[in-house]
Amino acid sequence: MCTSLRGCTIKGHLNGDDPIAELKPAHPPRLYGSAGCETWSVRFSPDGSYFAWSVGHGIVKLLSWPLASKGAGAGCNEEKTLNCGQTVWALAFGPCLSARADALHQNRRERELLLAIGLNNGAIQVWVVSTGNLRAALTGHQAPVRDLVFTPNGSLTLVSASRDKTLRIWDLAKKGAGPYVLRGPDSWVFRCSVSPDSSVIASVCNLDSKVYLWSLRSYTFMRHLKYDHERTMASCDFSQDGALLAIASYHSTTGWWLDLWDPYTADLLSRVEDCEVCAYRSDNLLTSLSFSPVGLLLAFKDYRALRIWDVEQDKLVTDTDHNRAGGVCCGFHPHEGVIATGCRDGHVKFWRVPRLIPSLKHLCRSALRFSISTYQVEALPLPKKILGYLTYRDIPKQKIVYCKEHCR
């Protein structure tokens, strides 16, 4: 049984790989792959009460969450339409707090919820979520803004990544203040991520086989994480304790890789890679990844499937084939077991995430690693096996993912 509401289909009694809901654009493309209609970004608000969806054609939809289903009153599905006038590449809600930082800031001052939108012309629009009004327009980037992230410490600090080969750091609490500009890469900056303690920015560039780490305290370059072979960098994300940095990359002829790095020591800890059959499919590239806000789950998207890897147990807990090819982004709900994926034709699908309870060992490790570096852990007078666990050296070194379509 299902019911349609403002372009959204809510489904019930689902089993297997079916999505729990789907959002359809009002004006779908006449031809698959038509420019301008892509959903390049999907985001849930930090408290989980809103969902932002870049519909394509310069439009962003703000929907209240959970989505209304059959029999719900009209007021249960608040919707705002933001007309940005340019192709939308990136979305970010703020202010936000990482899970660990939230526990340390119980008496924080509440701020109004904002939505930052990165556009094709290099501008960043900042909207007030409660009213749907434009609060500010930030200019300075000379090319499309490909990614945005608010620092997870409750402040109004916004980091932007652009094809103009720069990162910019904006303080939205200071009206009219210019950004700090971080330069260094000689390629487009595709993605950026901020560590949960708001001390480090990680960024990746499309044609530069290196990961750039920057200090968010001194606004200076720290180090590279280097790859031996040429590859296209696609995405990056920190784990919830900041002890792991996941990097997605691919090569048009040899497939894709998902790597876990120690950002403190620059050690490559583990690798998940495409199976040999799929590695030679030029239409199956790793496009997005995201750590879950709960436990040690890592979701990653290629064009044809959403997969969720339980890093602690070293197993895939979700391996979902897409009926609609061309998935390009994904994002977890901060509390509920739901993940959203966006596609090249403007559609969004919502999937149920397996409800796994983190082990007590992992909760203790996360609490410790949020506060201290790998070097500090290694200096502790602890048994070697415990040190290996606390520094994630116990993760299996390599794993090959086999797709359902070709490798049954």
Side-chain angles (χ1 to χ4, degrees), residues 46 93-111 149-159 169-173 193-201 215-217 219 240 370:
F93 281 102
C96 63
L97 281 170
S98 64
R100 182 63 180 165
D102 190 30
L104 302 175
H105 293 81
Q106 296 295 331
N107 298 319
R108 67 185 184 277
R109 181 169 62 90
E110 296 293 336
R111 298 177 182 268
V149 59
F150 279 91
T151 56
N153 58 1
S155 71
L156 289 178
T157 302
L158 177 68
V159 181
I169 304 168
W170 313 79
D171 187 351
L172 303 187
S193 180
V194 176
S195 62
D197 65 354
S198 299
S199 65
V200 178
I201 304 172
S215 171
L216 194 47
R217 293 168 178 163
Y219 305 115
Q240 295 306 305
F370 181 84

Side-chain angles (χ1 to χ4, degrees), residues 181-302:
V181 181
L182 304 181
R183 304 180 188 274
D186 196 31
S187 301
W188 297 349
V189 186
F190 257 29
R191 291 285 187 270
C192 61
S193 180
V194 176
S195 62
D197 65 354
S198 299
S199 65
V200 178
I201 304 172
S203 64
V204 295
C205 305
N206 66 324
L207 296 178
D208 191 338
S209 300
K210 295 189 292 288
V211 181
Y212 292 76
L213 298 182
W214 308 82
S215 171
L216 194 47
R217 293 168 178 163
S218 62
Y219 305 115
T220 56
F221 173 73
M222 296 171 59
R223 70 188 330 164
H224 289 128
L225 307 180
K226 296 183 180 181
Y227 287 93
D228 296 332
H229 304 289
E230 180 182 347
R231 59 184 64 189
T232 298
M233 312 303 286
S235 191
C236 60
D237 196 23
F238 281 97
S239 62
Q240 295 306 305
D241 60 5
L244 295 175
L245 177 60
I247 303 295
S249 61
Y250 62 86
H251 191 279
S252 59
T253 60
T254 55
W256 56 253
W257 302 267
L258 191 160
D259 297 316
L260 294 182
W261 292 81
D262 184 322
Y264 295 98
T265 64
D267 290 330
L268 179 59
L269 303 180
S270 184
R271 170 168 294 168
V272 177
E273 64 180 294
D274 216 348
C275 69
E276 185 176 354
V277 173
C278 295
Y280 294 97
R281 294 181 60 91
S282 61
D283 64 341
N284 193 39
L285 306 178
L286 199 60
T287 56
S288 180
L289 59 80
S290 178
F291 270 106
S292 168
V294 179
L296 198 57
L297 299 180
L298 179 60
F300 54 101
K301 278 286 298 95
D302 57 27

Side-chain angles (χ1 to χ4, degrees), residues 296-365:
L296 198 57
L297 299 180
L298 179 60
F300 54 101
K301 278 286 298 95
D302 57 27
Y303 279 172
R304 299 187 176 278
L306 166 70
R307 298 182 176 94
I308 300 178
W309 178 28
D310 184 339
V311 178
E312 186 176 15
Q313 299 296 325
D314 187 32
K315 63 180 181 180
L316 288 175
V317 294
T318 296
D319 188 2
T320 303
D321 286 334
H322 274 263
N323 295 327
R324 188 179 310 280
V328 293
C329 60
C330 64
F332 279 98
H333 189 280
H335 310 302
E336 299 178 12
V338 173
I339 188 170
T341 59
C343 300
R344 283 185 174 273
D345 57 5
H347 286 67
V348 172
K349 291 185 178 182
F350 300 91
W351 310 85
R352 188 71 66 191
V353 177
R355 292 187 177 276
L356 302 178
I357 300 176
S359 68
L360 180 59
K361 286 197 311 180
H362 174 66
L363 293 175
C364 293
R365 172 171 60 182

Side-chain angles (χ1 to χ4, degrees), residues 75-128:
C76 295
N77 194 60
E78 180 185 357
E79 177 182 312
K80 298 181 178 69
T81 299
L82 312 180
N83 191 340
C84 302
Q86 288 277 327
T87 298
V88 174
W89 288 100
L91 302 172
F93 281 102
C96 63
L97 281 170
S98 64
R100 182 63 180 165
D102 190 30
L104 302 175
H105 293 81
Q106 296 295 331
N107 298 319
R108 67 185 184 277
R109 181 169 62 90
E110 296 293 336
R111 298 177 182 268
E112 63 182 0
L113 183 63
L114 304 176
L115 177 65
I117 301 176
L119 303 178
N120 192 64
N121 64 355
I124 301 170
Q125 295 181 352
V126 182
W127 298 75
V128 179

